[in-house]
Amino acid sequence: MSVDIAKNLKNISDQIELSRVESLMASENVSLIAVSKTKPVKDIISAYEAGHRVFGENKVQEAQKKFAEIGQKREEIELHLIGPLQTNKAKEAVETFDVIQTVDRPKLVKALAKEIKKLGKQPEFYIQVNTGEEPQKAGVLPDDLKELIGLCHEQDLRVTGLMCIPPVDEEPSLHFSFLSKLAKENDLPNLSMGMSNDFDLAVRFGATHVRVGSGIFGARDYTSVD
């Protein structure tokens, strides 16, 4: 069954606006990140032609390949890395992305700082926080956040926000509220939280960015990804 990407974008944008105006905690502006991981270039172009300009990818190499193919359109797009980043991909990440949302450890901070100095390019950075303190999940532990932010400042990383992925078996609003509190404590304006199943709730708790993939592009086909 074909997916009407333009219609999905409008419906989700309308839901975001409704949640925003109904909540006293909501941000004045909420950016919808269209998560195009595993999706073909034609779907990105469909979203672009519908007026959308903010996209998210999980893997550096996948993003490099796809967004190189769209040519001059790339100049108008804000591209976010929302998947885990290995230190040996720091150079490619700095070259490819406008925003890197998954900074979570000192070794990665230092690798990114080194590439920024060499390349002369300065993306925005968000720190991923492991709000549920799950051992299998990426993200800095909340108790270590302030120290990591301090290191980012020492290394001249332009940190502007926090990101989280709540545990699947817990109430997400608790994690959204907690991340919002951490952002205020550390004077960070951006909050990336909420995905296809809970973005409206995230907006109500102050998200400035929500990450929606299947709600826009339909179910993902992981067999098509290397």
Side-chain angles (χ1 to χ4, degrees):
M1 189 174 76
S2 63
V3 175
D4 190 335
I5 291 172
K7 182 179 179 182
N8 290 344
L9 281 166
K10 184 181 185 307
N11 288 344
I12 290 168
S13 295
D14 288 348
Q15 289 177 55
I16 287 171
E17 182 61 14
L18 180 62
S19 297
R20 195 189 67 75
V21 299
E22 288 182 347
S23 173
L24 295 175
M25 295 176 63
S27 171
E28 283 189 26
N29 296 294
V30 181
S31 178
L32 170 59
I33 301 172
V35 180
S36 49
K37 67 178 184 178
T38 81
K39 293 299 177 180
V41 172
K42 67 178 180 64
D43 285 1
I44 295 171
I45 292 173
S46 292
Y48 176 91
E49 290 176 346
H52 201 72
R53 295 294 184 269
V54 187
F55 293 83
E57 287 281 342
N58 272 49
K59 295 182 179 180
V60 175
Q61 285 176 303
E62 183 182 348
Q64 282 180 308
K65 181 177 184 298
K66 291 196 299 193
F67 283 84
E69 290 180 26
I70 68 171
Q72 290 185 332
K73 295 180 180 66
R74 172 65 183 97
E75 296 175 10
E76 300 176 42
I77 284 171
E78 181 177 285
L79 184 57
H80 292 240
L81 176 64
I82 60 171
L85 178 59
Q86 297 175 335
T87 55
N88 64 358
K89 298 291 184 185
K91 177 177 182 291
E92 291 88 346
V94 171
E95 288 175 332
T96 306
F97 293 92
D98 303 297
V99 184
I100 295 172
Q101 294 200 8
T102 50
V103 177
D104 65 351
R105 58 199 187 279
K107 186 178 179 181
L108 179 57
V109 169
K110 292 173 183 176
L112 289 165
K114 180 181 176 182
E115 298 305 333
I116 285 168
K117 288 171 185 170
K118 288 196 323 195
L119 296 167
K121 186 174 183 286
Q122 177 67 283
E124 284 187 53
F125 295 96
Y126 298 178
I127 293 177
Q128 182 174 351
V129 183
N130 187 347
T131 55
E133 301 190 21
E134 299 172 275
Q136 80 284 6
K137 187 175 284 184
V140 65
L141 295 176
D143 287 346
D144 298 329
L145 174 60
K146 194 172 289 292
E147 184 178 353
L148 190 64
I149 292 172
L151 178 62
C152 288
H153 291 159
E154 287 173 17
Q155 297 289 325
D156 294 324
L157 263 64
R158 187 160 60 106
V159 176
T160 65
L162 302 178
M163 179 266 232
C164 77
I165 304 171
V168 295
D169 57 349
E170 294 185 18
E171 171 55 48
S173 61
L174 299 174
H175 296 270
F176 297 155
S177 176
F178 183 39
L179 196 73
S180 180
K181 174 176 174 287
L182 291 174
K184 287 186 177 72
E185 289 174 354
N186 290 282
D187 296 318
L188 296 172
N190 293 320
L191 277 172
S192 175
M193 54 191 195
M195 297 185 283
S196 290
N197 60 339
D198 57 15
F199 69 86
D200 52 338
L201 184 62
V203 170
R204 294 173 187 274
F205 280 89
T208 60
H209 295 73
V210 293
R211 312 179 302 270
V212 179
S214 58
I216 296 169
F217 297 109
R220 295 189 181 99
D221 179 10
Y222 288 98
T223 62
S224 66
V225 181
D226 293 333

